[in-house]
């Protein structure tokens, strides 16, 4: 096989083409305290300043060797643009939403977006960071932008308690919010792709079986993901936290090129269910292995993923801020060793 750049390999892998070896990268958050210290770019500033965001995100590629640059490091940006009030977070904790813009059913039913939220400060930061990253890493490195999905956006707007209750008792309210969220995801994804991102990863666990019955995924959410994938101009990745086993078959027909799953899902089973319908991404345990174990354990768990047939070797979810760099390097080492034999 002719030489390919890590960007070509990543993009080929996402669309199911044969590659010489599987990529090793992260499609979920990569900010760690050690990388902040190594790059001089720290949380919380790196969430709000495009230069600092770019510097920290590139650190995971340059210092660890992950074969891609992934940003941002949290999921409050769309929520804040929609009027949520947030806590800024600290060096080792992500920003969080503490007040949603809608408290009542009437508020939620009347909720609309008045201006172009792509012009809001938080989303402009991401668009600017995209350009900066592309300028700094050149054309050979894949850039993966993240954003929360429609279920998470609906949750931001009304708070988790109302979201869960109204999914069952007042689905018309939730459908109204999901439509707004879907439109945002499409416009924002296309803007990020235009600014230089190669792929968009959408974590949207609020639609998954950890919070709602699996039947909801098919009736309420599957049509939205299909709409997103058919109206976006680049490859899309759906990330599901928790145990997504019961919705794997539905996830495989969302039209998303990549499916990123946590370690609660058996990768061999996932590979059997998904087959060639999507690129399977995962799923080394971010807390039990990457944060809390030794490099030798990382190598073992990575081997398990590769034996089970993942198409991209990656952490199963966002990195914990205190994840040691040596464990992340072990992930890259494991992939390299796997192809020596
Ligand atoms: Zn996750």
């Amino acid at each position: 096989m002719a030489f390919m750049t890590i960007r070509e390999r990543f993009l080929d892998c996402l669309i199911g083409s044969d590659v010489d070896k599987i990529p090793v990268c992260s499609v979920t958050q990569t900010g760690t305290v050690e990388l902040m210290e190594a790059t001089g770019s720290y949380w919380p500033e790196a969430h709000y300043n495009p230069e600092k965001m770019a510097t920290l995100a590139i650190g995971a590629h340059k210092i660890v060797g992950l074969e891609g640059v992934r940003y941002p490091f949290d999921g409050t940006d769309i929520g804040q643009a929609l009027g949520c009030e947030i806590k800024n977070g600290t060096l080792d904790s992500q920003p969080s939403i503490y007040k949603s813009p809608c408290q009542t059913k009437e508020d939620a039913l009347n909720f609309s977006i008045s201006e172009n939220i792509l012009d809001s400060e938080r989303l402009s930061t991401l668009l600017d960071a995209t350009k900066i990253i592309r300028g700094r890493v050149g054309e050979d490195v894949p850039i993966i932008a993240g954003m929360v999905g429609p279920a998470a956006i609906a949750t931001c707007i009304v708070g988790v308690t109302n979201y869960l209750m109204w999914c069952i008792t007042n689905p018309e309210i939730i459908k109204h919010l999901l439509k707004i969220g879907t439109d945002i995801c499409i416009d924002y994804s296309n803007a990020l792709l235009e600014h230089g991102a190669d792929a968009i990863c959408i974590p949207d666990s609020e639609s998954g079986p950890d919070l709602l019955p699996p039947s909801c995924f098919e009736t309420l959410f599957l049509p939205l993901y299909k709409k997103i994938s058919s109206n976006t101009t680049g490859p899309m990745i759906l990330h599901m936290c928790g145990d997504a086993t019961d919705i794997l078959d539905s996830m495989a027909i969302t039209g998303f090129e990549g499916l990123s799953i946590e370690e609660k899902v058996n990768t061999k089973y996932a590979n059997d269910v998904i087959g060639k319908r999507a690129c399977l991404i995962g799923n080394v345990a971010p807390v039990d292995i990457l944060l809390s174990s030794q490099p030798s354990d990382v190598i073992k768990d990575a081997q398990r993923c590769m034996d089970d047939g993942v198409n991209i070797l990656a952490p199963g979810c966002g990195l914990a801020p205190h994840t040691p760099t040596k464990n992340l390097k072990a992930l890259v080492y494991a992939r390299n060793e796997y192809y020596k034999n």
Side-chain angles (χ1 to χ4, degrees), residues 148-280:
V148 292
I153 293 171
T155 308
C156 292
I157 297 171
V158 297
V160 69
T161 310
N162 286 336
Y163 168 76
L164 289 176
M165 193 162 55
W166 296 342
C167 272
I168 310 297
T169 62
N170 296 76
E172 75 284 358
I173 297 178
I174 300 303
K175 278 182 185 163
H176 167 65
L177 302 176
L178 290 174
K179 187 185 176 312
I180 292 173
T182 302
D183 292 343
I184 292 171
C185 287
I186 292 168
D187 291 348
Y188 188 27
S189 294
N190 287 337
L192 286 162
L193 292 161
E194 250 170 54
H195 279 71
D198 289 303
I200 308 295
C201 180
I202 298 194
D204 207 26
S205 307
E206 287 80 353
S207 72
D210 268 15
L211 288 187
L212 292 166
S215 58
C216 280
F217 187 87
E218 211 166 309
T219 54
L220 212 48
F221 302 103
L222 180 56
L224 310 179
Y225 296 134
K226 284 182 174 170
K227 189 174 173 194
I228 291 172
S229 64
S230 55
N231 286 283
T232 39
T233 56
M236 304 295 291
I237 299 164
L238 182 61
H239 172 76
M240 199 55 64
C241 294
D243 187 353
T245 306
D246 291 340
I247 58 166
L248 285 172
D249 194 44
S250 297
M251 285 175 72
I253 54 170
T254 51
F256 278 60
E257 282 81 0
L259 301 178
S260 160
I261 48 162
E262 269 196 31
E263 73 277 9
K264 284 179 190 154
V265 181
N266 179 298
T267 29
K268 190 162 186 339
Y269 177 78
N271 196 20
D272 287 346
V273 172
I274 295 165
K276 295 237 172 261
R277 294 182 292 174
C279 168
L280 181 62

